[in-house]
mmCIF file of all heavy atoms in Angstrom:
data_model
loop_
_atom_site.group_PDB
_atom_site.id
_atom_site.type_symbol
_atom_site.label_atom_id
_atom_site.label_comp_id
_atom_site.label_asym_id
_atom_site.label_seq_id
_atom_site.Cartn_x
_atom_site.Cartn_y
_atom_site.Cartn_z
ATOM 1 N N GLU A 128 129.452 -12.091 -36.010
ATOM 2 C CA GLU A 128 130.280 -13.199 -36.611
ATOM 3 C C GLU A 128 129.498 -14.610 -36.297
ATOM 4 O O GLU A 128 129.460 -15.355 -37.117
ATOM 5 C CB GLU A 128 131.712 -13.298 -35.948
ATOM 6 C CG GLU A 128 132.540 -14.352 -36.691
ATOM 7 C CD GLU A 128 133.934 -14.405 -36.167
ATOM 8 O OE1 GLU A 128 134.189 -14.319 -34.797
ATOM 9 O OE2 GLU A 128 134.876 -14.544 -36.837
ATOM 10 N N SER A 129 128.948 -14.616 -35.186
ATOM 11 C CA SER A 129 128.111 -15.892 -34.817
ATOM 12 C C SER A 129 126.979 -16.025 -35.747
ATOM 13 O O SER A 129 126.718 -17.121 -36.221
ATOM 14 C CB SER A 129 127.567 -15.787 -33.379
ATOM 15 O OG SER A 129 128.600 -15.784 -32.429
ATOM 16 N N GLU A 130 126.380 -14.900 -36.133
ATOM 17 C CA GLU A 130 125.162 -15.042 -36.929
ATOM 18 C C GLU A 130 125.554 -15.443 -38.347
ATOM 19 O O GLU A 130 124.931 -16.221 -38.950
ATOM 20 C CB GLU A 130 124.456 -13.580 -36.970
ATOM 21 C CG GLU A 130 123.790 -13.330 -35.709
ATOM 22 C CD GLU A 130 123.092 -11.894 -35.553
ATOM 23 O OE1 GLU A 130 123.341 -11.112 -36.456
ATOM 24 O OE2 GLU A 130 122.406 -11.769 -34.538
ATOM 25 N N GLN A 131 126.774 -14.813 -38.783
ATOM 26 C CA GLN A 131 127.201 -15.271 -40.116
ATOM 27 C C GLN A 131 127.471 -16.783 -40.122
ATOM 28 O O GLN A 131 127.173 -17.538 -41.104
ATOM 29 C CB GLN A 131 128.464 -14.593 -40.491
ATOM 30 C CG GLN A 131 128.326 -13.298 -41.226
ATOM 31 C CD GLN A 131 129.535 -12.430 -41.144
ATOM 32 O OE1 GLN A 131 130.612 -13.017 -40.726
ATOM 33 N NE2 GLN A 131 129.430 -11.047 -41.502
ATOM 34 N N ARG A 132 128.184 -17.219 -39.194
ATOM 35 C CA ARG A 132 128.503 -18.752 -39.032
ATOM 36 C C ARG A 132 127.273 -19.611 -39.029
ATOM 37 O O ARG A 132 127.197 -20.641 -39.707
ATOM 38 C CB ARG A 132 129.449 -18.996 -37.831
ATOM 39 C CG ARG A 132 130.737 -18.414 -37.981
ATOM 40 C CD ARG A 132 131.458 -18.827 -36.706
ATOM 41 N NE ARG A 132 132.867 -18.204 -36.783
ATOM 42 C CZ ARG A 132 133.765 -18.473 -35.754
ATOM 43 N NH1 ARG A 132 133.420 -19.203 -34.782
ATOM 44 N NH2 ARG A 132 134.945 -17.865 -35.816
ATOM 45 N N LEU A 133 126.244 -19.097 -38.230
ATOM 46 C CA LEU A 133 124.977 -19.895 -38.239
ATOM 47 C C LEU A 133 124.378 -19.991 -39.561
ATOM 48 O O LEU A 133 123.725 -20.953 -40.000
ATOM 49 C CB LEU A 133 124.037 -19.288 -37.137
ATOM 50 C CG LEU A 133 124.444 -19.642 -35.730
ATOM 51 C CD1 LEU A 133 123.649 -18.715 -34.732
ATOM 52 C CD2 LEU A 133 124.305 -21.143 -35.411
ATOM 53 N N GLN A 134 124.314 -18.840 -40.301
ATOM 54 C CA GLN A 134 123.770 -18.839 -41.601
ATOM 55 C C GLN A 134 124.413 -19.841 -42.511
ATOM 56 O O GLN A 134 123.809 -20.759 -43.124
ATOM 57 C CB GLN A 134 124.054 -17.502 -42.351
ATOM 58 C CG GLN A 134 123.089 -16.369 -41.879
ATOM 59 C CD GLN A 134 121.583 -16.695 -42.059
ATOM 60 O OE1 GLN A 134 121.247 -17.638 -42.811
ATOM 61 N NE2 GLN A 134 120.773 -15.916 -41.338
ATOM 62 N N LEU A 135 125.821 -19.964 -42.487
ATOM 63 C CA LEU A 135 126.616 -20.784 -43.453
ATOM 64 C C LEU A 135 126.283 -22.249 -42.945
ATOM 65 O O LEU A 135 126.159 -23.152 -43.760
ATOM 66 C CB LEU A 135 128.059 -20.473 -43.288
ATOM 67 C CG LEU A 135 128.579 -19.204 -43.886
ATOM 68 C CD1 LEU A 135 130.015 -18.894 -43.448
ATOM 69 C CD2 LEU A 135 128.250 -19.207 -45.316
ATOM 70 N N ILE A 136 126.317 -22.517 -41.739
ATOM 71 C CA ILE A 136 126.221 -23.960 -41.342
ATOM 72 C C ILE A 136 124.780 -24.439 -41.423
ATOM 73 O O ILE A 136 124.474 -25.666 -41.819
ATOM 74 C CB ILE A 136 126.764 -24.287 -39.837
ATOM 75 C CG1 ILE A 136 126.909 -25.757 -39.732
ATOM 76 C CG2 ILE A 136 125.754 -23.715 -38.804
ATOM 77 C CD1 ILE A 136 127.956 -26.371 -40.541
ATOM 78 N N THR A 137 123.761 -23.576 -41.270
ATOM 79 C CA THR A 137 122.346 -23.954 -41.518
ATOM 80 C C THR A 137 122.080 -24.226 -43.034
ATOM 81 O O THR A 137 121.391 -25.110 -43.412
ATOM 82 C CB THR A 137 121.284 -23.115 -40.874
ATOM 83 O OG1 THR A 137 121.573 -21.738 -41.176
ATOM 84 C CG2 THR A 137 121.283 -23.258 -39.351
ATOM 85 N N ASP A 138 122.812 -23.425 -43.848
ATOM 86 C CA ASP A 138 122.657 -23.677 -45.369
ATOM 87 C C ASP A 138 123.159 -25.096 -45.636
ATOM 88 O O ASP A 138 122.612 -25.847 -46.266
ATOM 89 C CB ASP A 138 123.498 -22.691 -46.115
ATOM 90 C CG ASP A 138 122.884 -21.292 -46.278
ATOM 91 O OD1 ASP A 138 121.689 -21.089 -45.875
ATOM 92 O OD2 ASP A 138 123.647 -20.301 -46.446
ATOM 93 N N TYR A 139 124.292 -25.385 -44.936
ATOM 94 C CA TYR A 139 124.922 -26.763 -45.226
ATOM 95 C C TYR A 139 124.040 -27.812 -44.679
ATOM 96 O O TYR A 139 123.833 -28.855 -45.333
ATOM 97 C CB TYR A 139 126.307 -26.748 -44.564
ATOM 98 C CG TYR A 139 127.055 -27.904 -45.022
ATOM 99 C CD1 TYR A 139 127.490 -28.236 -46.319
ATOM 100 C CD2 TYR A 139 127.515 -28.949 -44.052
ATOM 101 C CE1 TYR A 139 128.177 -29.315 -46.747
ATOM 102 C CE2 TYR A 139 128.320 -29.976 -44.479
ATOM 103 C CZ TYR A 139 128.564 -30.193 -45.706
ATOM 104 O OH TYR A 139 129.320 -31.328 -46.166
ATOM 105 N N ALA A 140 123.411 -27.558 -43.450
ATOM 106 C CA ALA A 140 122.491 -28.492 -42.881
ATOM 107 C C ALA A 140 121.398 -28.780 -43.727
ATOM 108 O O ALA A 140 120.922 -29.972 -43.856
ATOM 109 C CB ALA A 140 122.041 -28.086 -41.507
ATOM 110 N N LEU A 141 120.807 -27.720 -44.256
ATOM 111 C CA LEU A 141 119.677 -27.973 -45.143
ATOM 112 C C LEU A 141 120.017 -28.906 -46.364
ATOM 113 O O LEU A 141 119.162 -29.767 -46.757
ATOM 114 C CB LEU A 141 119.163 -26.653 -45.786
ATOM 115 C CG LEU A 141 118.104 -25.818 -44.889
ATOM 116 C CD1 LEU A 141 117.610 -24.658 -45.697
ATOM 117 C CD2 LEU A 141 116.815 -26.725 -44.729
ATOM 118 N N GLU A 142 121.206 -28.758 -46.967
ATOM 119 C CA GLU A 142 121.609 -29.637 -48.061
ATOM 120 C C GLU A 142 121.570 -31.067 -47.623
ATOM 121 O O GLU A 142 121.060 -31.936 -48.202
ATOM 122 C CB GLU A 142 122.997 -29.250 -48.437
ATOM 123 C CG GLU A 142 123.152 -28.123 -49.451
ATOM 124 C CD GLU A 142 124.651 -27.791 -49.706
ATOM 125 O OE1 GLU A 142 125.363 -28.740 -49.784
ATOM 126 O OE2 GLU A 142 124.908 -26.642 -49.883
ATOM 127 N N LYS A 143 122.243 -31.251 -46.439
ATOM 128 C CA LYS A 143 122.407 -32.744 -45.863
ATOM 129 C C LYS A 143 120.999 -33.239 -45.594
ATOM 130 O O LYS A 143 120.715 -34.460 -45.717
ATOM 131 C CB LYS A 143 123.221 -32.678 -44.640
ATOM 132 C CG LYS A 143 124.530 -32.017 -44.782
ATOM 133 C CD LYS A 143 125.766 -32.780 -45.204
ATOM 134 C CE LYS A 143 126.011 -34.189 -44.705
ATOM 135 N NZ LYS A 143 127.161 -34.727 -45.446
ATOM 136 N N MET A 144 120.081 -32.385 -44.968
ATOM 137 C CA MET A 144 118.819 -32.890 -44.612
ATOM 138 C C MET A 144 117.930 -33.230 -45.766
ATOM 139 O O MET A 144 117.322 -34.235 -45.788
ATOM 140 C CB MET A 144 118.091 -31.744 -43.747
ATOM 141 C CG MET A 144 118.782 -31.564 -42.341
ATOM 142 S SD MET A 144 118.231 -30.061 -41.550
ATOM 143 C CE MET A 144 116.518 -30.511 -41.123
ATOM 144 N N ASN A 145 118.116 -32.425 -46.879
ATOM 145 C CA ASN A 145 117.303 -32.805 -48.027
ATOM 146 C C ASN A 145 117.874 -33.960 -48.803
ATOM 147 O O ASN A 145 117.002 -34.763 -49.289
ATOM 148 C CB ASN A 145 117.392 -31.598 -49.103
ATOM 149 C CG ASN A 145 116.679 -30.415 -48.599
ATOM 150 O OD1 ASN A 145 115.729 -30.625 -47.749
ATOM 151 N ND2 ASN A 145 117.057 -29.242 -49.056
ATOM 152 N N GLU A 146 119.190 -34.306 -48.655
ATOM 153 C CA GLU A 146 119.611 -35.486 -49.173
ATOM 154 C C GLU A 146 119.148 -36.797 -48.488
ATOM 155 O O GLU A 146 119.053 -37.830 -49.099
ATOM 156 C CB GLU A 146 121.270 -35.477 -49.105
ATOM 157 C CG GLU A 146 122.054 -34.766 -50.109
ATOM 158 C CD GLU A 146 123.555 -34.557 -49.695
ATOM 159 O OE1 GLU A 146 124.032 -35.530 -48.939
ATOM 160 O OE2 GLU A 146 124.141 -33.631 -50.215
ATOM 161 N N THR A 147 119.109 -36.578 -47.188
ATOM 162 C CA THR A 147 118.864 -37.820 -46.282
ATOM 163 C C THR A 147 117.468 -37.892 -45.806
ATOM 164 O O THR A 147 117.016 -39.055 -45.368
ATOM 165 C CB THR A 147 119.773 -37.784 -45.107
ATOM 166 O OG1 THR A 147 119.579 -36.540 -44.435
ATOM 167 C CG2 THR A 147 121.320 -37.813 -45.534
ATOM 168 N N GLY A 148 116.740 -36.856 -45.765
ATOM 169 C CA GLY A 148 115.360 -36.894 -45.163
ATOM 170 C C GLY A 148 115.465 -36.763 -43.685
ATOM 171 O O GLY A 148 114.291 -36.977 -42.950
ATOM 172 N N ILE A 149 116.603 -36.590 -43.105
ATOM 173 C CA ILE A 149 116.722 -36.322 -41.580
ATOM 174 C C ILE A 149 116.284 -35.022 -41.229
ATOM 175 O O ILE A 149 116.548 -34.212 -41.924
ATOM 176 C CB ILE A 149 118.203 -36.681 -41.220
ATOM 177 C CG1 ILE A 149 118.609 -38.145 -41.454
ATOM 178 C CG2 ILE A 149 118.505 -36.178 -39.797
ATOM 179 C CD1 ILE A 149 120.060 -38.467 -41.191
#
Side-chain angles (χ1 to χ4, degrees):
E128 188 179 42
S129 296
E130 287 171 356
Q131 270 163 15
R132 288 184 184 178
L133 281 168
Q134 286 299 344
L135 292 171
I136 196 63
T137 48
D138 286 345
Y139 192 62
L141 269 185
E142 279 175 36
K143 310 271 314 177
M144 291 168 69
N145 290 336
E146 273 167 30
T147 56
I149 290 171

